[in-house]
Amino acid sequence: MCLSPRGSSSTLFSFSRWSSGPSTSSSSGRSIADCATASPASSKVLAKKELAYVPIIGWMWYFTEMIFCTRKWEQDRRTVATSLMHLRDYPEKYFFLIHCEGTRFTEKKHQISMQVAQAKGLPSLKHHLLPRTKGFAITVRCLRDVVPAVYDCTLNFRNNENPTLLGVLNGKKYHADCYVRRIPMEDIPEDDDQCSAWLHKLYQEKDAFQEEYYRTGVFPETPRVPPRRPWALVNWLFWASLLLYPFFQFLVSMVSSGSSVTLASLIVVFCMASVGVRWMIGVTEIDKGSAYGNIDNKQKQSD
């Protein structure tokens, strides 16, 4: 799930090894799809290296062959290219996800990003950060002739909702619209410079229909509402009951033991778990998500 502040857009590119993606495309190749639930368990993602150290989630990503980068191109060039070449021979179908803006949208980051755009002679974007084209270009180069299409996904939250991980864990509902465009790989230039120019042009288009969304409250084309899937709820309830029953039984036995040492130990463990969960949530906060925007003028000129 992509979380964006103040209802602003969150953009994701998905390189699909499916011959036809999970969304239903209209005649113009555009559709509304449930991107979050369409992504299979075998999805891969290009993510910052720090996420690999997040307990449980980061470790799981590491062992499922996610690609991690330092966001320093000279260090990442070989690592990312090698990892992507391994995906060419991956035995299962998959989605490879990449967030070209490199970080989540804030006003400060947007201001710095537009200064970079001005220095490079690129048109300003109102609702997006300037895309980082090198990661996208190398992904296209390495996965060409392996994946048939790229899915350009934009996620918006209605009514200026500000989704947070803590809100999700507390069961709060957020109302989102996801706009998906299927782009055949042959429509994307092979040359890195041309590919970069193509991506900048795409973001200008995205900014235009993003402006239309803020004006009208809907994306272009006919919306498609994915049907509810009761089997997913039944499956979740089954596994939750199966796994949590021994845990609750253990808690009851610990409390009923009457031992002060046991109760004190239980309280300490719960406090440590609470601190750990809050720390993990803190890692996802947008103001801690990236140092983007604090770079010097020389770094601003490089992509």
Side-chain angles (χ1 to χ4, degrees), residues 43 80 104 126 134 139 150 161-162 164 166 168 173 185 209 214 223-224 228-229 232 286:
S43 293
V80 173
R104 287 170 290 180
K126 186 175 180 180
K134 290 180 179 178
T139 302
V150 173
E161 290 178 322
N162 184 21
T164 64
L166 185 60
V168 172
K173 292 183 179 180
M185 186 64 84
F209 69 68
Y214 281 113
R224 173 179 176 266
R228 292 183 179 271
R229 299 179 298 174
I286 192 166

Side-chain angles (χ1 to χ4, degrees), residues 24-33 152 177-182 209 212-213 216-225:
T24 303
S25 298
S26 63
S27 59
S28 62
R30 300 177 180 179
S31 66
I32 297 292
D152 167 24
D177 292 310
C178 186
Y179 184 70
V180 182
R181 297 192 290 177
R182 185 182 189 274
F209 69 68
E212 181 71 11
Y213 179 88
T216 64
V218 294
F219 281 120
E221 308 297 341
T222 303
R224 173 179 176 266
V225 180

